[in-house]
Amino acid sequence: MTTNPEEKALLADAYQVKREKQHWNPADTTAAIQRGLAMARTKRSGRTVRIKWITAVLVTALAAGWFLIGPLGNYGQQPATYTEPVTHWGVLEPFRDISTDMEKITITSALNHGYVQLLDQTVTSGIYQFTVNAVMADENRITVLYTARTDASQEIYSTVNMKVTDASTGYLLDNGRSGAVHFSKDKHTVYGRNTIERSRNKPLPEQVNIQFQLSSVVPDGVEYSENGEKERKYQFSKKLNLSFALDPKFSIPKTEIINVNRTFTVGGHEVMLSEVELSPLVTQVRFVFEPEQEIDYKTKLSITEVVQPIEIITATKGGKQTKLPMVSGGATGEGMVYSFSSNLLDNPESMILILRGKPDKVYDDLQEAKKDELKIKIK
């Protein structure tokens, strides 16, 4: 099966919004995917195609575990517990308040196992102060926890133009994103998380540099838009840089790859769950479009519409079950890759992928939707 560059671009366009989903719940994700698909179709073909809108159901409990139709092990014999560990985050406790952060489970697992490097490195310029509080890294990701502050004269507004590079080589690791944030009650402090995607084919940088600007709200400052409306006036810091060395412990590979190679049918299409890659900071799930079949772009796009993962349920030796929410997703030339939170360091003994079984169906009842879910055993 081959995919030309234009098809890859179309599939990438269809998932542009979805890859920016750091704060959204599964219902928001579904809408974002469909908006991306519609944008890609309109942009590339110049014609309107009808999109089937789906009522997304957020699943909050797992009553039973199944591989497709059959039962699996002891799933369903006891209520699933999805609360994250109660371990105190110590000096990083303020970052727990990033309530919509889909990475909270991952960060909690890392902290529980000491997979973190506390830094507390600060750069100051005028009324602005920026601190890198902690960092975590593996073969697939670098996660930075930071604090941005202003003095009492102005309220903090945002962190902008963030660029992350390998400090030794200048290689660009990430450009322009600042991730999930939480504002303090006094509006002078922002607690943020930035996640940098990286390739396992490249060595982990020994030292990282972050370039950025901070912005604040000018008290009683007013500007006027082109249509004459009043707008708040903002002030920006100069471009600032902060460099830090990564702990060598992050260079020790901990990635586990599971070759699943299980085929299932959804929305009339055959799809293969080919591989799941586990690392301390992310779980990546890879699907293959209708294996062994030559399919056109229209069919590939149709498959991306109906494959809708919800979450992964893991269970440890002690029976504790954890829900790993989907963080982002994207189409590749030959299939799709979805990223979920990770609790690899908890050493889960079983993992079940949950997908919507009837993506075209509109549900009014949560239990009815649960009955139609697909459950695929990863391990």
Side-chain angles (χ1 to χ4, degrees), residues 23-165:
H23 298 206
W24 303 343
N25 60 32
D28 297 324
T29 307
T30 300
I33 297 170
Q34 292 172 336
R35 285 198 303 271
L37 292 168
M39 286 163 47
R41 286 169 167 167
T42 303
K43 177 179 176 182
R44 301 281 179 175
S45 66
R47 59 189 178 89
T48 302
V49 180
R50 185 174 70 92
I51 299 294
K52 296 180 179 179
W53 290 86
I54 304 157
T55 300
V57 179
L58 176 62
V59 178
T60 56
L62 179 66
W66 301 78
F67 165 52
L68 297 184
I69 301 177
L72 272 179
N74 295 324
Y75 277 84
Q77 294 184 5
Q78 58 183 1
T81 55
Y82 294 145
T83 55
E84 65 181 78
V86 295
T87 301
H88 191 74
W89 284 28
V91 295
L92 301 179
E93 189 65 29
F95 295 93
R96 194 198 290 265
D97 290 332
I98 304 177
S99 59
T100 58
D101 192 350
M102 306 297 285
E103 301 285 4
K104 186 179 292 187
I105 290 174
T106 302
I107 294 174
T108 301
S109 176
L111 293 179
N112 286 344
H113 294 275
Y115 197 78
V116 62
Q117 177 185 359
L118 298 178
L119 289 169
D120 197 28
Q121 290 187 215
T122 299
V123 61
T124 302
S125 176
I127 67 170
Y128 303 101
Q129 183 184 86
F130 183 89
T131 301
V132 173
N133 302 88
V135 63
M136 291 153 272
D138 64 17
E139 291 184 287
N140 295 309
R141 283 187 172 181
I142 300 174
T143 297
V144 179
L145 301 180
Y146 65 87
T147 305
R149 291 188 172 91
T150 55
D151 65 18
S153 65
Q154 295 186 21
E155 295 179 359
I156 188 76
Y157 183 69
S158 66
T159 304
V160 297
N161 300 324
M162 184 174 285
K163 182 169 71 173
V164 184
T165 58

